[in-house]
Amino acid sequence: MEPRPLPSGRGSPGSGDLPLHGTTTIVARAARRRLRLNLTAKQALFGYAILVPTVAILLVFRFLPMLQAFWISLHEWDLLRPPRFVGLANFLDLLQDPLFLNSARVSLAYVVFSCVPVWVLSLALAMLFNREIRAKNLFRSAAFMPVVMPMVVNALVWTFMYHQDGVVNTILGWLGIDPIPWLRSSTWALWAIVIIGIWRATPYYMVIFLAGLQAIPQEYYEAAKIDGADAWSEFRHITLPLLKPTTLLVMVMSVIVAMKVFAVPLIMTGGGPADSTRVLPLFIYQTAFEFFKMGRAAAMSVFLFAAVMIFTLFQIRLFSRGED
């Protein structure tokens, strides 16, 4: 009797043909793989499409002006005649310019005397408002008011407050202190601007510290209390180490903002008296649009950018030490 042929598509034993159901499975898997790849590619393209406008804005309004400022710093340009290439002459002249060196010193003094108190006060207020107190939200809103006020309004209000018969000297008189010529004295003018910087910046960084404090799990403090730790030990061994990323953010942001202070000294003192409040951004503005020396002003901007960048990298290096 002759053997009956096998059904179509199954093949004989030992042959190289795959069974029908095996072929169907492989085809289905390949189709699903292609579908996943297509879906992943579409998601990647959608993500790039979202990022492109932001990157384009940064390139056009951030990085391109930075490159253009560096290009201008290599030229002598008064806005009336074509730029004339002078190389690094503007940078070398600035290193010997007493006005520039004095302006850099004033900016450094403003940064130190305004930022350090802000770090301490903002952390202290954040720890205070992190506790359960009555009308906590009301006090938070009241403390945040200096931030939402326009800078020009702040400068004008404080100008009247610093008047000879203003609120500040009146309060000092209650304490038995003679009136201080805040904005007319080269000794006190910078301190007047520093006080405004502290008053305005502290509530802003308080909110950042408060967010960092609320992100710390309470279990750590509960375990510390069980071990008999006091408040100082909790602050030193729990709060400060876990606030390190937030502290780095606050320090870098506050220094960058302080290095760019401009409106307050421009409105209140114009850089005087005796150049005691002529911070570097104000000097850059005056050099460019009052003295029409665009090349020197651009070179000052490059110096300012380099100073901020060096400080930022130093802080990141300092705070990242020992994390491994």
Side-chain angles (χ1 to χ4, degrees):
M1 179 181 296
E2 297 181 358
R4 289 183 298 176
L6 293 173
S8 176
R10 290 189 177 273
S12 57
S15 66
D17 297 334
L18 291 174
L20 181 60
H21 70 277
T23 305
T24 305
T25 303
I26 293 176
V27 172
R29 290 177 179 174
R32 288 195 297 268
R33 189 179 298 110
R34 286 195 297 271
L35 180 61
R36 286 196 298 268
L37 291 176
N38 292 335
L39 181 60
T40 304
K42 290 180 180 178
Q43 291 176 344
L45 289 176
F46 180 72
Y48 289 134
I50 294 176
L51 290 176
V52 164
T54 303
V55 174
I57 291 174
L58 290 176
L59 288 176
V60 174
F61 295 102
R62 289 287 185 179
F63 296 105
L64 184 60
M66 289 168 57
L67 295 176
Q68 189 175 11
F70 180 73
W71 180 83
I72 294 174
S73 68
L74 302 177
H75 294 73
E76 183 180 339
W77 187 27
D78 59 1
L79 296 178
L80 300 176
R81 291 166 293 184
R84 184 173 65 89
F85 183 80
V86 294
L88 299 177
N90 287 323
F91 295 94
L92 297 177
D93 291 342
L94 287 178
L95 295 177
Q96 301 174 354
D97 186 1
L99 293 177
F100 171 75
L101 297 177
N102 176 74
S103 181
R105 180 188 61 81
V106 172
S107 290
L108 180 60
Y110 177 83
V111 170
V112 172
F113 293 120
S114 65
C115 289
V116 175
V118 164
W119 301 338
V120 177
L121 293 175
S122 57
L123 179 57
L125 286 176
M127 296 185 64
L128 175 63
F129 288 125
N130 195 38
R131 299 176 177 273
E132 293 297 331
I133 58 177
R134 292 184 178 181
K136 179 170 59 177
N137 294 331
L138 178 62
F139 288 126
R140 286 181 185 176
S141 302
F144 201 73
M145 284 297 295
V147 181
V148 299
M149 292 178 61
M151 184 64 73
V152 176
V153 175
N154 281 331
L156 293 176
V157 170
W158 278 92
T159 300
F160 288 107
M161 293 176 62
Y162 281 136
H163 194 267
Q164 188 72 14
D165 298 326
V167 176
V168 177
N169 282 330
T170 301
I171 296 175
L172 293 178
W174 296 344
L175 302 176
I177 302 176
D178 295 333
I180 297 175
W182 291 99
L183 303 180
R184 294 182 289 107
S185 169
S186 59
T187 303
W188 292 100
L190 183 60
W191 287 107
I193 296 177
V194 166
I195 292 173
I196 298 174
I198 296 173
W199 174 77
R200 180 177 172 83
T202 298
Y204 180 80
Y205 299 112
M206 174 201 71
V207 174
I208 299 178
F209 271 126
L210 185 61
L213 288 172
Q214 293 179 349
I216 299 177
Q218 292 299 315
E219 290 79 3
Y220 294 152
Y221 296 103
E222 295 173 358
K225 287 184 174 61
I226 294 175
D227 292 338
D230 55 6
W232 170 248
S233 298
E234 293 179 0
F235 175 76
R236 180 182 177 184
H237 298 290
I238 299 177
T239 304
L240 281 183
L242 295 180
L243 275 182
K244 183 181 289 187
T246 306
T247 305
L248 173 62
L249 175 64
V250 168
M251 295 180 71
V252 172
M253 287 182 59
S254 61
V255 169
I256 292 176
V257 172
M259 290 291 289
K260 298 191 302 180
V261 64
F262 171 75
V264 172
L266 174 65
I267 295 172
M268 298 184 65
T269 63
D275 297 333
S276 61
T277 60
R278 183 179 285 177
V279 291
L280 200 53
L282 178 59
F283 192 34
I284 293 172
Y285 167 79
Q286 292 174 338
T287 302
F289 300 107
E290 293 182 9
F291 308 142
F292 299 105
K293 297 180 179 180
M294 303 299 296
R296 291 177 67 88
M300 294 180 197
S301 301
V302 174
F303 271 118
L304 181 61
F305 173 78
V308 173
M309 182 63 66
I310 291 173
F311 173 81
T312 302
L313 294 177
F314 173 75
Q315 287 293 81
I316 294 175
R317 176 84 174 179
L318 179 64
F319 275 73
S320 62
R321 183 180 300 174
E323 287 188 355
D324 297 338

